[in-house]
Amino acid sequence: MSRIQTSRIQTSRIQTSRIQTFRFPTTSRFVRARMALSLALAFGTMAAAPGAHAVALRWAAQNDVLTLDPHSQDHTTTSAILQHAYEGLTRYNEQWEVEPCLATKWTPISPTQVRFELRKGVKFHDGSPFTADDVIFSFDRVRQPQGTMQIYVTGIKEIKKIDDFTVDLILDSPQPILLRNLVDFRIMSKVWAEKNKATQMADYKAKDENYASRHTDGTGPYEITSWQPDQKISMTINKGWWDKNKGNITEVSYIPIKSDPTRVAALTSGDVDLLTEVPTQDVAAVKADPKLKSIEGPETRTIFFAMDLGSDELRGASVKGKNPFKDIRVREALSIAIDREAIKRSIMRGMSVPASLMVPPGVNGYDAALDKPAKPDLVRAKKLLADAGYPNGFELPLNCPNNRYVNDEKVCLAVVSMWSKIGVTARLTAQPMSQHSQLFQRFEAPLYMLGWGVSTMDALYSLQALARTRSGGADGSFNFSKVSDPALDKLIDAAKSEIDIPKRNALLRDALVRTRDQYLFIPLHHQVRPWAMRANLQTLHRSNDRPEARFTTIK
């Protein structure tokens, strides 16, 4: 199925090339939105009316999953969907506390060996029993280099089978956040994977697929019954689940709707129940609608630009024979040319926290006193560029998503304009996240926007995945900008195994400050995320932006 594609956007002119089936050139914005929604309904891309005994949750957001393989892509929307079908050894409860899931108990045997007792009587969706063999198989599979989820098994050297329902995790060193990491280490059926020739992960960045890319077989509370890319994901309750839902949802439809007005119209008209990506310009109207309600809070996600710091020549740039990003003065110039408060005010409508740190509030290691971005200074930025040898600036490509983060393309356009004031011409290409992600994972984006949510609520997760020198496995698992700083690596490596909390927090602090002061990334802001819903719906707001149907009720 073809995807909407946005072509390159020049700084002086927006040029888009879209695959369109229907066009409404003369109707109003709202009417176009309603007509588009009606077409979606007509072609079956929305949930059907629930049956007499079904309680259906219709949930919409702006982007689709990347894959249904639980070991492939560290992508929040993908994880938000797959957490319904696949489970880890641990999970979070309503209060964000770690609790048992597929493991019922864990006991340290030594500082580097932890014994996990597995839950008995659990079955995968295909009816096969869950055993220690599935844990070991999933551990070997998630570490395959073509995936990006290795961070969740970081520090685990080996998993040994003691018996069918007992495994020992052998660690490289003590792992202070082991139980939090294991939440997103999802267990897949070994028997099912072997039967369907899916023991090897497909290479997502190369656009490869296998059976696990489009089908699931987990132990979770819901079974994914179908995925129509860019249209709908359907789930139904797993009646044989080992636990009991705390909500009453029996069916879930997830509908990706890229268009802001269409998405809001779907909610206000009653065609969807939950919207987890509310356009900032519509938040006030949603709050004023008596048929709706909203819950909001800070999202543990930082939006930033990543720069190619490792290549000898910057791909697609006007500068030949060298890489401007290797000069800290260039990196600082780009950062201080950005007016983050203006972005907050005019684009984000106040729903962002200007950032200089690479982790947001609420994450262990965050310190508000350190998170104070410099005010924009065009004079200093121009001088820094001149001192670095670029008195007239330079030209380079900028890649951004257009359906993933709040106002992502608008933010990129604003930054392009700000950089132009210091002589840096950024040629913007904005495209759907599925294409954007494949591009930078192939190391083909010298400058790109990314948003990073901290699923473990600990700064090590961000530092190790994004800023640690890429060396295979968990180290640098999402480092596609070739960051490599030996002093920073030393701090990150020490924080991995330090069990003294004050000492460990000091290491995290020093690592975050070094990342900031070396301008290894250009943080923009931390997102504030409202969810809007029908007044008769109750659910838990999750700062990781992952609603859970098991905690959701429709009255």
Side-chain angles (χ1 to χ4, degrees), residues 75-118:
H75 171 245
T76 295
T77 304
T78 301
S79 296
I81 295 298
L82 292 182
Q83 70 180 350
H84 291 83
Y86 287 102
E87 297 177 298
L89 298 179
T90 58
R91 69 182 183 186
Y92 291 117
N93 64 15
E94 297 96 318
Q95 290 77 40
W96 275 113
E97 299 163 336
V98 174
E99 68 177 11
C101 190
L102 291 181
T104 59
K105 183 181 179 182
W106 41 88
T107 305
I109 305 300
S110 76
T112 57
Q113 182 176 357
V114 184
R115 179 157 296 173
F116 282 76
E117 297 177 23
L118 305 181

Side-chain angles (χ1 to χ4, degrees), residues 406-457:
V406 180
N407 296 324
D408 42 17
E409 185 174 359
K410 294 178 182 177
V411 170
C412 286
L413 281 167
V415 172
V416 165
S417 177
M418 293 170 185
W419 282 341
S420 70
K421 296 176 182 178
I422 61 170
V424 174
T425 300
R427 304 187 309 271
L428 176 61
T429 299
Q431 56 190 156
M433 185 63 182
S434 57
Q435 299 168 33
H436 177 67
S437 182
Q438 289 172 342
L439 185 76
F440 70 69
Q441 288 187 45
R442 295 195 299 265
F443 297 96
E444 295 176 6
L447 174 63
Y448 61 92
M449 173 184 272
L450 188 63
W452 195 251
V454 189
S455 55
T456 64
M457 310 298 286

Side-chain angles (χ1 to χ4, degrees), residues 252-521:
V252 180
S253 294
Y254 175 79
I255 308 111
I257 306 175
K258 180 181 182 298
S259 165
D260 286 350
T262 305
R263 204 162 61 246
V264 174
L267 178 68
T268 56
S269 65
D271 290 317
V272 300
D273 306 299
L274 172 66
L275 202 63
T276 51
E277 289 173 325
V278 185
T280 54
Q281 66 270 18
D282 293 309
V283 171
V286 166
K287 289 182 177 180
D289 191 329
K291 302 187 303 296
L292 307 175
K293 65 180 180 181
S294 66
I295 54 177
E296 63 185 58
E299 183 186 4
T300 51
R301 180 178 306 282
T302 302
I303 308 298
F304 62 94
F305 291 122
M307 302 160 283
D308 179 353
L309 303 186
S311 298
D312 292 330
E313 181 175 304
L314 203 59
R315 183 188 183 103
S318 60
V319 177
K320 302 303 178 184
K322 59 181 178 178
N323 181 351
F325 289 150
K326 288 191 174 184
D327 193 317
I328 188 175
R329 293 170 294 187
V330 172
R331 304 196 298 268
E332 181 182 356
L334 291 179
S335 183
I336 65 174
I338 298 173
D339 189 338
R340 293 165 176 82
E341 287 292 342
I343 292 173
K344 175 181 178 180
R345 181 176 61 254
S346 62
I347 298 177
M348 299 301 291
R349 307 287 181 102
M351 301 189 70
S352 64
V353 179
S356 65
L357 288 184
M358 283 293 289
V359 297
V363 170
N364 182 54
Y366 177 82
D367 185 342
L370 304 176
D371 194 25
K372 297 186 182 300
K375 292 181 180 180
D377 188 338
L378 300 184
V379 173
R380 174 168 169 76
K382 289 178 181 179
K383 184 178 186 304
L384 285 167
L385 287 178
D387 291 346
Y390 308 101
N392 299 315
F394 54 90
E395 184 179 338
L396 78 169
L398 169 64
N399 292 93
C400 292
N402 62 10
N403 69 340
R404 177 62 192 100
Y405 312 115
V406 180
N407 296 324
D408 42 17
E409 185 174 359
K410 294 178 182 177
V411 170
C412 286
L413 281 167
V415 172
V416 165
S417 177
M418 293 170 185
W419 282 341
S420 70
K421 296 176 182 178
I422 61 170
V424 174
T425 300
R427 304 187 309 271
L428 176 61
T429 299
Q431 56 190 156
M433 185 63 182
S434 57
Q435 299 168 33
H436 177 67
S437 182
Q438 289 172 342
L439 185 76
F440 70 69
Q441 288 187 45
R442 295 195 299 265
F443 297 96
E444 295 176 6
L447 174 63
Y448 61 92
M449 173 184 272
L450 188 63
W452 195 251
V454 189
S455 55
T456 64
M457 310 298 286
D458 187 272
L460 179 63
Y461 170 76
S462 299
L463 291 164
Q464 186 177 4
L466 297 170
R468 176 63 167 79
T469 298
R470 190 178 178 89
S471 57
D475 288 339
S477 60
F478 228 83
N479 180 356
F480 297 107
S481 54
K482 303 178 183 177
V483 176
S484 184
D485 183 312
L488 180 60
D489 289 349
K490 186 176 180 180
L491 291 168
I492 294 171
D493 289 345
K496 291 178 190 176
S497 58
E498 180 56 67
I499 58 176
D500 182 287
I501 293 176
K503 289 182 180 179
R504 184 173 184 275
N505 287 342
L507 290 167
L508 294 176
R509 178 189 184 280
D510 290 347
L512 289 168
V513 168
R514 183 166 182 83
T515 303
R516 180 196 68 185
D517 293 350
Q518 291 296 310
Y519 295 93
L520 300 180
F521 303 93

Side-chain angles (χ1 to χ4, degrees), residues 96-166:
W96 275 113
E97 299 163 336
V98 174
E99 68 177 11
C101 190
L102 291 181
T104 59
K105 183 181 179 182
W106 41 88
T107 305
I109 305 300
S110 76
T112 57
Q113 182 176 357
V114 184
R115 179 157 296 173
F116 282 76
E117 297 177 23
L118 305 181
R119 193 175 298 276
K120 298 178 180 178
V122 175
K123 293 187 180 298
F124 288 95
H125 296 156
D126 67 352
S128 60
F130 160 70
T131 70
D133 292 335
D134 302 302
V135 177
I136 295 170
F137 165 75
S138 296
F139 174 66
D140 292 336
R141 191 175 188 275
V142 77
R143 293 188 299 164
Q144 292 173 12
Q146 59 270 41
T148 61
M149 302 287 283
Q150 301 95 332
I151 190 73
Y152 298 109
V153 292
T154 182
I156 303 174
K157 182 188 302 182
E158 180 186 2
I159 298 183
K160 288 185 176 180
K161 178 179 177 180
I162 305 304
D163 58 40
D164 282 348
F165 294 99
T166 310

